[in-house]
Amino acid sequence: MQKVKTGRGMGLLVIVLAGSALLQEANAGPWEVGGTGVDSKRKVKAEVALRDSSGARVWARPVLGYAHPVNERMSFEVSHGYGVIDRPGYRASGARDLDVKLKYQLARESPTGLAWLVEPKLGVPVGDDRKGIGRGRHAVELPLRASRTVDATTYTGEVRYTHVLGGDHGQRLWGVGGLVEHVPGPAWVLGVDVFADTPVDRASRYHVRSNVAAKWRPTAAFEVQGLVGSTLTNRRGEEQVSYKVVLEYKY
């Protein structure tokens, strides 16, 4: 009987440790609001995404990415891909812009403090801007995030500044959002986020959207992510519905 109890205890310990590991990894995912973790292993990923509105269907298929850890507090990622725009009477395809981003963990979570991370991203205009797939200008994003994990749930808040260089004031945006992730079991992460942004000089032209997503990790190295998102309120354009599937491999 003692051996049976010990075996059950060890099994429970394995599940708890696996769940704790997933909570650490839950800081990265398909949501628009990011997390506060850095990549501890090299990672390759492939993504297919669709943004659908009454005026156009915009595809990213595929986007390929590579992430590399620099040290315990820093990692970087590059991604590039192919895009398709499908409007009534018009269809175009071509290269998307190149994205380069750096994750730097300002502070780790402690019993008395939050986890903090900054993740600057640069969009390099290598895409087909004449077809409307690339911006044709450099773009900078500066998000700052803080998070706290309580039991099996992680709460993250984000503020973000976006600037498309060379653009008018409508290309400078402030954004704010929140993400809630829950780990129901060792292989799963479920979450929902809400994000809103608005031009710096026209606060009334805000766009509010939300995404529901899940991550499934059948092994320690392989992960599948799926997302469905929708506009809640858009004062500067059409309502949009988003879909995304991501495959990741860590090594």
Side-chain angles (χ1 to χ4, degrees):
M1 292 297 292
Q2 185 64 36
K3 290 183 179 180
V4 173
K5 291 181 179 179
T6 301
R8 289 178 178 175
M10 288 300 293
L12 179 61
L13 177 61
V14 169
I15 292 175
V16 171
L17 290 176
S20 299
L22 267 179
L23 278 175
Q24 297 299 319
E25 294 294 338
N27 290 320
W31 301 273
E32 183 167 359
V33 175
T36 56
V38 299
D39 293 297
S40 59
K41 296 181 179 180
R42 290 176 291 177
K43 178 177 70 179
V44 291
K45 67 178 184 179
E47 172 184 319
V48 175
L50 169 65
R51 187 174 72 247
D52 193 8
S53 66
S54 61
R57 294 167 61 90
V58 180
W59 287 91
R61 58 180 193 195
V63 174
L64 304 178
Y66 171 75
H68 190 90
V70 178
N71 52 46
E72 292 183 351
R73 291 183 177 270
M74 184 185 304
S75 64
F76 73 87
E77 181 177 323
V78 295
S79 60
H80 186 47
Y82 193 78
V84 178
I85 297 177
D86 194 356
R87 299 191 183 100
Y90 176 81
R91 181 180 175 88
S93 60
R96 292 166 51 88
D97 289 343
L98 174 72
D99 289 330
V100 182
K101 64 182 179 181
L102 178 73
K103 297 180 181 179
Y104 182 71
Q105 195 172 56
L106 301 172
R108 295 177 179 174
E109 184 176 338
S110 68
T112 58
L114 304 175
W116 289 87
L117 178 132
V118 62
E119 189 180 1
K121 182 171 76 171
L122 174 65
V124 183
V126 300
D128 292 329
D129 58 295
R130 289 179 296 178
K131 298 179 180 178
I133 298 174
R135 289 190 181 96
R137 290 169 289 181
H138 289 83
V140 177
E141 287 187 6
L142 296 173
L144 174 66
R145 305 187 191 111
S147 71
R148 165 70 75 184
T149 298
V150 180
D151 297 327
T153 304
T154 299
Y155 305 88
T156 304
E158 175 178 323
V159 293
R160 182 192 306 170
Y161 174 70
T162 303
H163 189 179
V164 179
L165 304 181
D168 56 24
H169 291 292
Q171 300 295 329
R172 297 165 57 227
L173 304 172
W174 283 111
V176 62
L179 167 65
V180 178
E181 297 170 274
H182 180 68
V183 181
W188 287 92
V189 179
L190 308 176
V192 58
D193 73 352
V194 177
F195 189 83
D197 58 12
T198 185
V200 171
D201 62 337
R202 297 189 66 180
S204 62
R205 298 186 64 208
Y206 52 81
H207 182 195
V208 185
R209 57 265 194 195
S210 179
N211 303 281
V212 177
K215 302 197 299 184
W216 175 54
R217 184 176 301 156
T219 70
F222 185 68
E223 182 171 292
V224 181
Q225 304 173 2
L227 174 145
V228 177
S230 178
T231 291
L232 301 180
T233 302
N234 192 355
R235 295 290 183 88
R236 64 174 187 270
E238 299 176 332
E239 294 187 356
Q240 301 171 355
V241 178
S242 301
Y243 307 92
K244 184 188 296 184
V245 175
V246 184
L247 305 179
E248 289 190 355
Y249 180 75
K250 301 177 182 180
Y251 61 99

